[in-house]
Amino acid sequence: MIHKFWLLLMPLIVLLMGCSMAAKPVAKKASTVNRGFNGVTIDVSRHHYQVSTLVKFIRLVSDHHGNFIQLHLSDDKDFAIENKAAGQTTRRATKTAGVWRNKKSHQAFYSRGQIAYLLKDAKQHHITLIPEIDTPAHVTGLVKTLRASGQAKLAKQLSWQSKSYGDELHLNAASIAFVKRMDREIASEFADQQIKRFHLGGDEFTDKLTKNTAYINYLNATSENVEKLGFTPEAWNDGFLTNSLKDINHDIQVTYWNWTADQSGELGKERKKAWASMPRLIHNGFKVFNYNDYYLYFNVSKANLKPKSVAYMSKDMKQYWTPMLWHTDHQTKLKTRHGIVGSSASIWSDAAGRISDQQIYQASTTFIEDFLKLARKA
């Protein structure tokens, strides 16, 4: 039998418990993204944008209900971030007109302070900033940085010259250890975000079509490294071979840009047989992003920045693209968005030359606005 005293107190106890529960809601896992996480990827390695320009892009994406900006920070031209592991710091650099440059390699890069400033602005506008440190290929900028900092011996130990793709990192224990150290340092700068994601690269690094055990080990080790720091790992789809899917870390979310890396002919045919399609990745439990390079890549050049060219790209995208159209302009649509967690338009600067920030921003604004509207409604 319940004592009368407790009967009198019970309503008060229930009320207090309700207040306590309301004051402490159950926190959701910060890095969880289910669908509709859309944004823009900006190649800040092959064209160095002023911080003020990146702020404009942050606000543009925010104003049009986007969720993220991915910063492609490393490539063959540049390693565009301060990093002690790579030997690139402001103490070994000069600053002119707001841009830090490595004294020896003359590469432009973003300092820790500039990254902190961008993160503060992005946070205010509810935008996630995703660092992309592309390995094992596209590392010439990193190799140059290591050499410029007196680490030529380490650069030689870690890298080799591929006939097809230039400087690449060896897929061995030494490279894994270095990349993990480098990525941990960069991740620490991007850690104060509600949604934490880290892009590991992994595009255009091999023509190997049989099971690549060395890459599987490399990718698993580097992805688990950033996972331990609370980040969701991402990678390009190139290394996800059909015969290897069961062995790859399924927490990696795949940014799918092309089924064959734009290879045609016999190599293209062979890649279609060996590389996992987006439907196959989804069937095997991977979450994917649609980065379709046919519709969603804005390649900076004088010709592409002309109003007529931009108008054509936007019209073509709006007329045909959906998040389910994942490979070029072929009818490779999925029936539902199951497994597709988001999409990205990308601004690449392979042929940017001396084109200014302002020219790129003005030319790409409508394209980005149209993409974000389309991705949100699809």
Side-chain angles (χ1 to χ4, degrees), residues 315-330:
K315 181 182 178 182
D316 200 40
M317 174 179 63
K318 288 190 293 183
Q319 187 171 355
Y320 297 110
W321 180 81
T322 76
M324 286 81 79
L325 182 52
W326 52 271
H327 174 61
T328 63
D329 62 340
H330 299 167

Side-chain angles (χ1 to χ4, degrees), residues 40-57 70-72 78 80 97-101 108-110 114 118 298-300 305 346-350 352 355-362 364 368:
V40 176
T41 297
I42 304 177
D43 181 0
V44 297
S45 173
R46 287 172 288 194
H47 176 90
H48 189 86
Y49 293 83
Q50 289 277 356
V51 169
S52 59
T53 304
L54 293 180
V55 166
K56 289 168 70 175
F57 275 114
Q70 177 178 320
L71 299 173
H72 182 76
D78 208 349
V99 178
W100 287 100
R101 287 194 180 275
F109 67 92
Y110 299 100
Q114 289 174 323
L118 288 169
F298 190 102
N299 294 304
V300 176
L305 263 59
S346 302
I347 303 174
W348 296 107
S349 304
D350 310 46
I355 296 171
S356 70
D357 283 17
Q358 186 63 16
Q359 288 173 297
I360 297 171
Y361 180 80
Q362 286 182 339
S364 63
I368 290 170

Side-chain angles (χ1 to χ4, degrees), residues 254-327:
V254 186
T255 54
Y256 209 105
W257 69 284
N258 192 285
W259 200 358
T260 64
D262 285 326
Q263 283 288 348
S264 57
E266 286 303 313
L267 181 55
K269 290 179 182 178
E270 291 302 312
R271 283 185 175 179
K272 277 190 177 181
K273 294 177 185 177
W275 289 22
S277 65
M278 184 184 281
R280 187 174 288 275
L281 285 171
I282 293 170
H283 179 74
N284 280 270
F286 287 94
K287 291 183 177 179
V288 300
F289 281 80
N290 189 318
Y291 278 62
N292 186 321
D293 72 326
Y294 187 88
Y295 290 109
L296 305 183
Y297 274 24
F298 190 102
N299 294 304
V300 176
S301 69
K302 288 184 179 180
N304 286 347
L305 263 59
K306 290 180 179 179
K308 187 177 180 180
S309 298
V310 176
Y312 173 79
M313 288 189 288
S314 290
K315 181 182 178 182
D316 200 40
M317 174 179 63
K318 288 190 293 183
Q319 187 171 355
Y320 297 110
W321 180 81
T322 76
M324 286 81 79
L325 182 52
W326 52 271
H327 174 61

